[in-house]
């Protein structure tokens, strides 16, 4: 009766939407369940008037027989295959009930059961295919070709799958970006709605990241490819969701565990309900009809379908918004967390050093731009993260960076080079000033370091000319995320970091964290997580580095920041935030909780229908067609209820707090 999310989607309509964004959609009649159900329905509708008007049996009999065959052969065969493996399939029970009805002369009722049953299965197949379409359709957003720029200044059109990391591609106005990368040159506005859900185009210029499949606006962009096409945001979303669809959540596993026992008990009850009245002289036909009606309405089809659609829908929705949840187990676990441990660098902060302060000394006569220009020139050949921050700051301000000579680098001290014919040194104030407290930059450097910056001294011909302040910038959404997680769990997140206590305390104060655990080694972070779990908490750990991997593995659920996250952290984590949007973490937790509530709703709906119909059948006379309609109707309702989480509105409600 159920379909799988991972079944290869048949060729569908490639509709064009929103200015040329293709959308893969499975054709209804490309699904075999739909074709067989439609055939059964047509045959039934042709036979029905002939039967009701009293036409000869030879006119409607073969039509009803074909109805049974077309609508029932597939679930019947699947049920027999399951029976060989000593598994009692509810699909087989439905077919047996229909054949039993025909055997006692209730040919119309049996045919109606087959038609409704086949139609229900077709609706489930369509709903499941739509779930798969919503994810696989993302692949169609990426263009099939891209314009690659050659070293000699020429260009060539190549399939996007042939692009490699380091290639430079040209994205003309109105084209879709061919690969994930970073803008080298040009400025434009890019419509990222298909990836990020942002309603308005986003301005892109040199240094900004762009994603495959997003739509370029009026400007031309030169983009350096930073991810293999098979590892793009879109491709990773699809791969993760398809992998997740193959897993089963604990609730689903529990249901499947009791399904067999329930089905065997139901068959035993059906046999009893048939045999016992016969022993007391009841008529055969009404007794058999009641027993078959009982078997139909007591079947746990809706219960079996209660769990996976909400979880898979939530996984697909989260994937569209940049959170890759690796399994249905994880999606269910996310809603159980009641404590959060956050890493600092790369998680609450961006993980990339940036120049925050430019302080030229008055005696130097240099302006801020001139100080930054000579510092960037000296640092340009260096690969140190702080050096890259200085160079990036100069480029952002469109400063001309001169070519240097005699470049040397001393680990732990800094760099020296000849810039415009003058010897320039850039590095640690403590090392360059030789420990002198009366050094001209001592006060400025100490003040910057007290504020949590890393101070960088700049000297020209041995004379201090200024100080640069460099810091790892706090994410804009960090404070709001901490507040949201506090609301979801009822307790403030814990900050677990290897940084020094002073810097950790300062950042914690900015975002509203009161429990700070600083100076931790990787094993210390694991200990902190274990202490929380020993206190009965289910801990969510969020991190990005190699040093976070042990804590991610030890936690109830681990989430890695994907953009700058280490391979080990991404592999270890249960979920990955692809675009490093910290605010998506409380949203996906809220979405998980909504999925869990829908599971409970589905189980209640299934239980109410099954209980009501069984009582009606035992206490009164439940017509077989009505029993079939009630049973199959509840199955469809449960399936569609779970698919509600596919809608973008479900993500919006979770983000706004209404999904809690």
């Amino acid at each position: 009766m159920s379909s799988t999310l991972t079944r290869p989607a048949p060729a569908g309509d490639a509709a064009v939407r929103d200015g040329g964004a293709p959308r893969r959609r499975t054709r209804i009649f490309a699904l075999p369940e739909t074709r067989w159900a439609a055939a059964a329905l047509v045959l039934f509708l042709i036979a029905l008037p002939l039967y009701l008007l009293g036409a000869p049996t030879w006119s409607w009999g073969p039509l009803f027989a074909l109805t049974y065959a077309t609508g029932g052969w597939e679930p019947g065969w699947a049920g027999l295959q399951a029976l060989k493996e000593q598994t009692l399939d509810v699909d087989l029970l439905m077919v047996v009930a229909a054949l039993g009805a025909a055997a006692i002369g209730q040919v119309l009722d049996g045919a109606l059961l087959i038609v409704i049953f086949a139609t229900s299965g077709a609706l489930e197949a369509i709903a499941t295919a739509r779930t798969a379409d919503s994810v696989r359709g993302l692949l169609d957003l990426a263009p099939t070709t891209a314009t690659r720029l050659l070293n000699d200044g020429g260009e060539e059109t190549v399939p996007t799958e042939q692009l490699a990391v380091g290639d430079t591609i040209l994205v003309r106005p109105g084209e879709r970006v061919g690969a994930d990368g970073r803008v080298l040159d040009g400025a434009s506005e890019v419509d990222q709605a298909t990836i990020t859900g942002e309603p308005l185009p986003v301005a892109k210029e040199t240094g900004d990241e762009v994603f495959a499949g997003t739509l370029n606006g009026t400007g031309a962009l030169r983009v350096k490819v930073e991810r293999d096409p098979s590892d793009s945001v879109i491709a990773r979303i699809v791969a993760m969701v398809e992998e997740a669809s193959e897993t089963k959540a604990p609730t689903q596993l529990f249901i499947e565990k009791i399904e067999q026992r329930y089905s065997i008990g139901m068959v035993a009850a059906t046999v009893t309900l048939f045999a016992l009245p016969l022993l007391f002289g009841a008529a055969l036909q009404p007794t058999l009809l009641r027993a078959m009606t009982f078997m139909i309405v007591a079947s746990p089809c809706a219960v079996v379908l209660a769990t996976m659609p909400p979880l898979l829908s939530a996984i697909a929705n989260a994937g569209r918004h940049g959170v890759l949840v690796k399994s249905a187990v994880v999606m269910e676990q996310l809603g159980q967390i009641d404590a959060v441990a956050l890493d600092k660098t790369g998680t609450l902060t961006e993980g990339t050093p940036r120049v925050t302060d430019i302080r030229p000394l008055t005696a130097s006569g240099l302006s801020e731009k001139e100080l930054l220009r000579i510092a960037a020139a000296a640092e340009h050949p260096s690969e140190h993260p702080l050096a890259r921050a200085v160079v990036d700051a100069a480029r952002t301000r469109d400063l001309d960076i001169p070519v240097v000579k005699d470049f040397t680098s001393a680990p732990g001290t800094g760099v020296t080079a000849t810039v415009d014919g003058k010897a320039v040194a850039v590095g640690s104030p403590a090392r360059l000033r030789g420990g002198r407290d009366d050094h001209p930059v001592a006060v400025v450097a100490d003040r910057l370091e007290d504020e949590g910056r890393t101070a960088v001294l700049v000297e020209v011909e041995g004379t201090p000319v200024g100080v640069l302040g460099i810091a790892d910038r706090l994410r804009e959404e960090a404070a709001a995320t901490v507040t949201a997680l506090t609301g979801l769990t009822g307790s403030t997140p814990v900050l677990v970091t290897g940084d020094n206590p002073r810097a950790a305390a300062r950042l914690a104060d900015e975002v509203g964290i009161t429990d700070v655990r600083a100076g931790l080694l990787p094993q210390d972070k694991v200990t902190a997580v274990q202490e929380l779990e020993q206190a009965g908490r289910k801990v969510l750990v969020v991190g990005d580095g190699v040093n976070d991997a042990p804590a991610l593995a030890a936690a109830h659920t681990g989430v890695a920041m994907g953009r700058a996250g280490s391979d080990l952290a991404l592999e270890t984590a249960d979920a990955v935030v692809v675009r490093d949007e910290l605010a998506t973490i409380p949203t996906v937790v809220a979405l998980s909780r909504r999925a869990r509530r829908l599971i409970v709703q589905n189980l209640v709906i299934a239980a109410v229908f099954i209980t009501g119909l069984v009582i009606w059948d035992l206490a009164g006379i439940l017509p077989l067609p009505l029993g079939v309609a009630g049973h199959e109707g509840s199955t469809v309702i449960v399936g569609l209820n779970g698919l509600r989480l596919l809608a973008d509105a479900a993500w919006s409600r979770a983000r706004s707090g209404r999904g809690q």
Side-chain angles (χ1 to χ4, degrees):
M1 167 161 283
S2 59
S3 303
T4 59
L5 179 64
T6 53
R7 176 187 356 196
D13 299 331
V16 176
R17 182 172 59 97
D18 297 337
R23 182 178 182 181
R24 180 181 301 178
R25 192 174 180 87
T26 302
R27 290 194 300 267
I28 290 178
F29 285 100
L31 299 170
E33 294 92 341
T34 306
R35 295 196 297 270
W36 289 117
L41 177 60
V42 170
L43 291 167
F44 178 81
L45 292 177
I46 296 174
L48 180 61
L50 297 174
Y51 177 86
L52 295 177
L53 293 174
T57 303
W58 61 263
S59 64
W60 49 261
L63 293 173
F64 276 138
L66 288 173
T67 300
Y68 280 76
T70 54
W73 84 266
E74 192 173 40
W77 178 253
L80 290 174
Q81 294 297 108
L83 199 59
K84 286 183 178 180
E85 300 176 2
Q86 299 182 342
T87 300
L88 188 60
D89 194 303
V90 294
D91 293 4
L92 181 61
L93 298 181
M94 295 298 99
V95 175
V96 169
L99 294 175
I104 59 174
Q106 301 288 332
V107 178
L108 177 62
D109 291 343
L112 181 60
L113 170 57
I114 287 292
V115 169
I116 296 179
F117 185 68
T119 303
S120 172
L123 290 175
E124 290 177 35
I126 292 170
T128 304
R130 291 291 184 259
T131 306
D133 290 342
S134 69
V135 180
R136 292 193 187 95
L138 291 171
L139 285 176
D140 288 332
L141 295 171
T144 56
T145 61
T147 302
R148 181 164 58 190
L149 300 180
L150 305 176
N151 294 332
D152 60 6
E155 60 182 56
E156 61 177 351
T157 300
V158 297
T160 51
E161 60 266 22
Q162 292 183 10
L163 294 175
V165 175
D167 284 350
T168 300
I169 60 175
L170 175 64
V171 186
R172 294 185 172 88
E175 291 184 346
R176 290 191 173 270
V177 181
D180 289 1
R182 197 168 298 275
V183 178
L184 291 178
D185 184 41
S188 184
E189 291 187 339
V190 176
D191 183 356
Q192 300 186 153
T194 53
I195 299 294
T196 65
E198 295 170 281
L200 298 176
V202 179
K204 297 291 183 180
E205 55 187 20
T206 302
D208 289 336
E209 188 173 19
V210 291
F211 304 107
T214 54
L215 183 64
N216 187 26
T218 57
L221 299 174
R222 286 198 308 119
V223 176
K224 181 179 180 181
V225 178
E226 292 190 337
R227 289 194 188 97
D228 187 272
S230 63
D231 194 39
S232 68
V233 171
I234 291 176
R236 290 169 71 185
I237 289 173
V238 173
M240 287 280 194
V241 174
E242 290 190 341
E243 179 182 339
S245 69
E246 297 175 359
T247 65
K248 296 179 180 179
T251 302
Q252 179 73 9
L253 292 173
F254 174 75
I255 289 173
E256 292 182 359
K257 183 178 180 180
I258 65 172
E259 178 189 355
Q260 281 300 297
R261 298 175 184 175
Y262 178 89
S263 298
I264 293 172
M266 184 193 68
V267 171
T270 301
V271 172
T272 302
L273 192 62
F274 171 67
L276 197 59
L278 290 180
L279 294 177
F280 290 92
L284 173 64
Q285 183 168 331
T287 301
L288 181 57
L289 189 60
R290 170 174 287 188
M292 286 188 301
T293 303
F294 171 83
M295 183 170 65
I296 293 169
V297 300
S299 294
C301 294
V303 175
V304 173
L305 200 64
T307 302
M308 292 308 289
L311 293 175
L312 294 179
S313 298
I315 289 171
N317 202 336
R320 290 202 308 270
H321 291 88
V323 182
L324 306 184
V325 180
K326 293 184 178 180
S327 70
V329 175
V330 175
M331 180 53 77
E332 187 172 23
Q333 288 178 341
L334 278 167
Q336 299 171 350
I337 62 109
D338 56 11
V340 180
L342 299 171
D343 174 46
K344 174 181 172 287
T345 305
T347 301
L348 288 174
T349 66
E350 294 179 350
T352 304
R354 297 176 184 271
V355 174
T356 57
D357 301 86
I358 305 173
R359 306 283 182 86
L361 297 181
T362 304
S364 70
L366 297 176
S367 66
E368 290 187 3
K369 286 187 176 181
E370 289 170 335
L371 176 62
L372 181 59
R373 174 180 173 274
I374 62 173
E379 293 276 29
H380 188 266
S382 174
E383 292 296 324
H384 193 280
L386 296 184
R388 289 198 295 270
V390 175
V391 174
D392 288 344
R395 285 175 173 166
T396 301
R397 292 165 174 79
D398 295 324
L399 300 181
D400 176 42
I401 302 176
V403 177
V404 301
K405 298 179 181 179
D406 306 322
F407 172 82
T408 59
S409 176
T413 300
V415 301
T416 59
T418 301
V419 181
D420 295 334
K422 297 180 180 179
V424 176
V426 182
S428 165
R431 298 295 179 86
L432 291 180
R433 73 192 191 192
R436 290 170 47 201
D437 293 333
D438 60 343
H439 197 280
V441 298
V443 175
V444 178
D446 290 344
R447 184 181 298 118
L448 288 174
E449 291 177 349
D450 287 341
E451 294 173 355
R453 272 77 161 166
T454 296
V456 176
L457 172 63
V458 182
E459 292 183 345
V460 177
E461 298 290 354
T463 301
V465 294
V467 180
L468 304 179
I470 300 177
D472 185 5
R473 191 164 59 186
L474 184 70
R475 295 185 190 275
E476 292 181 0
E477 68 272 26
T481 298
V482 169
T483 300
L485 289 172
T486 301
L488 284 168
T489 62
S491 60
T492 305
V494 179
L495 181 61
V496 289
T497 177
D499 286 358
N500 67 78
R502 186 173 63 175
R506 186 177 295 106
L507 180 137
D509 185 61
E510 289 185 53
V511 299
I513 292 178
T514 55
D515 189 349
V516 180
R517 308 185 188 191
L520 302 182
L521 295 174
Q523 60 267 30
D524 299 326
K525 291 186 177 183
V526 172
T527 301
V529 171
Q530 290 174 340
E531 287 176 357
L532 290 170
E533 294 192 335
Q534 287 170 1
R537 313 297 293 274
K538 293 183 178 178
V539 185
L540 169 67
V541 171
V542 185
D544 72 310
V546 172
N547 62 331
D548 297 317
L552 291 170
H556 179 264
T557 310
V559 175
M561 306 300 287
R563 183 173 296 172
S566 68
D567 290 342
L568 182 59
L570 298 180
E571 182 68 25
T572 304
D574 300 303
V576 178
V577 182
V578 176
R579 296 185 294 273
D580 281 12
E581 295 173 359
L582 198 61
T584 58
I585 294 175
T587 303
V588 77
V589 171
L591 188 68
S592 170
R593 292 188 176 183
R594 188 148 189 260
R596 287 165 56 83
R597 286 199 301 275
L598 285 186
I599 291 172
V600 174
Q601 288 179 18
N602 284 346
L603 292 174
V604 170
I605 291 171
V608 168
F609 268 86
I610 291 174
T611 303
L613 293 172
V614 165
I615 292 175
W616 188 350
D617 183 55
L618 295 178
I621 299 177
L622 174 63
L624 180 60
L626 187 58
V628 170
H631 174 267
E632 298 300 334
S634 67
T635 303
V636 173
I637 289 172
V638 163
L640 295 178
N641 189 43
L643 296 180
R644 287 164 53 196
L645 293 186
L646 276 175
D648 285 334
W651 182 265
S652 299
R653 282 193 293 269
R655 182 173 54 194
S656 65
R658 286 177 285 167
Q660 298 177 18

